[in-house]
Amino acid sequence: MDYVISLMILALTLNPVLNAEKILLASLQVGSHVLEMVRIGEGLVDRGHQVYIVNGQNHPMNDHLRVKPGFHVMTFHVPEGAETLSTLEHREYISSALLQHPYADSSELDNWISDNAMNDCKHLMRDTSLLEEIRRADFRIAVIDGFPLVPCLTVLPIYLDLPFVLETGGWDFSWYSGSPVIPSITPLFVMPGFSQHMTFIERVVNFLAHGIILTSYNYLLSGIRDTSLLVEH
């Protein structure tokens, strides 16, 4: 994970920066994902940039982040009683499921997370005042959580025509960011022994794995099948 974060920070700082740039961070609304974005943000702040992180209005980490040097919190409206991953009840459910049954069939939990992550994306994209605030802020680039169970946050920078880096935590779902992924030269994450110098047989296997993974995720996860955000935006 360290090399992924290092490469992202390097990509953002290849050219000398005379003035601090504004950089937007957006992640899945669960603690571990927000903490990962905070770590990326800390590296950017150390380079002199201004970091703005997007969270739901009642996210438990907002108060801590507001007093963190170099960080600014932008919040989206969450309707009262709405389903969101950051509520205490949902955080406890995820922790319980992972601790009690870490090796069990995770399809039910994956679908539950996928659905609620999509709900958070909908709350974000339907907060028109926040979208306008982000548009006016004139960000240089965004770092987006490409959570593979439902990479719906990519709608935000695409809708606002904002350049972005997709952080996927090692999952090879680069096509959601518009990055070219060519199976003949791009080994899938489940093929750790493959390289860019694959044999013909390895390329065929890699191609089939790409198709199977993409098809199975689109078929199994209801959050990915929900195209309402694409229709709206």
Side-chain angles (χ1 to χ4, degrees):
M1 187 58 63
D2 288 343
Y3 76 89
V4 175
I5 296 173
S6 299
L7 287 174
M8 291 172 57
I9 294 174
L10 176 63
L12 293 171
T13 56
L14 284 176
N15 296 321
V17 179
L18 299 179
N19 299 305
E21 300 288 355
K22 290 182 177 179
I23 299 174
L24 183 68
L25 308 181
S27 73
L28 189 74
Q29 294 291 285
V30 294
S32 59
H33 286 248
V34 176
L35 286 172
E36 185 172 338
M37 278 296 172
V38 169
R39 186 178 177 192
I40 293 172
E42 289 171 343
L44 294 169
V45 169
D46 289 343
R47 298 284 300 190
H49 298 292
Q50 300 179 50
V51 169
Y52 291 72
I53 189 165
V54 177
N55 277 335
Q57 62 188 25
N58 297 321
H59 196 283
M61 292 185 64
N62 285 345
D63 290 340
H64 167 72
L65 292 173
R66 287 191 177 100
V67 298
K68 192 173 181 61
F71 278 74
H72 308 268
V73 178
M74 308 180 81
T75 61
F76 57 88
H77 174 69
V78 178
E80 185 176 355
E83 295 287 327
T84 174
L85 286 173
S86 64
T87 61
L88 177 60
E89 178 184 359
H90 287 178
R91 297 200 311 272
E92 290 178 342
Y93 170 73
I94 295 173
S95 298
S96 175
L98 293 177
L99 289 174
Q100 294 180 17
H101 307 287
Y103 303 110
D105 179 10
S106 63
S107 58
E108 181 178 350
L109 177 62
D110 287 348
N111 268 289
W112 183 88
I113 293 175
S114 179
D115 289 339
N116 283 281
M118 177 58 76
N119 288 335
D120 283 328
C121 286
K122 290 177 179 178
H123 300 324
L124 166 59
M125 293 304 300
R126 290 168 182 170
D127 190 331
T128 55
S129 59
L130 173 62
L131 295 182
E132 183 58 30
E133 182 182 357
I134 294 174
R135 196 188 303 274
R136 291 197 309 267
D138 193 25
F139 288 104
R140 173 69 178 271
I141 197 168
V143 181
I144 302 298
D145 185 350
F147 183 57
L149 297 186
V150 56
C152 54
L153 284 169
T154 54
V155 174
L156 174 64
I158 293 173
Y159 176 69
L160 297 176
D161 197 24
L162 177 63
F164 68 101
V165 175
L166 189 69
E167 196 290 299
T168 62
W171 293 69
D172 196 358
F173 283 78
S174 306
W175 49 76
Y176 288 116
S177 67
S179 302
V181 178
I182 305 173
S184 61
I185 61 173
T186 308
L188 193 62
F189 68 95
V190 296
M191 303 295 181
F194 287 9
S195 71
Q196 291 185 338
H197 305 288
M198 293 178 281
T199 66
F200 175 75
I201 296 299
E202 288 174 338
R203 294 177 196 275
V204 172
V205 172
N206 194 60
F207 171 79
L208 293 175
H210 269 271
I212 291 170
I213 292 291
L214 177 60
T215 302
S216 61
Y217 266 74
N218 286 344
Y219 175 75
L220 295 174
L221 298 174
S222 53
I224 288 183
R225 296 197 304 271
D226 185 345
T227 60
S228 57
L229 279 181
L230 297 177
V231 173
E232 290 181 34
H233 302 284

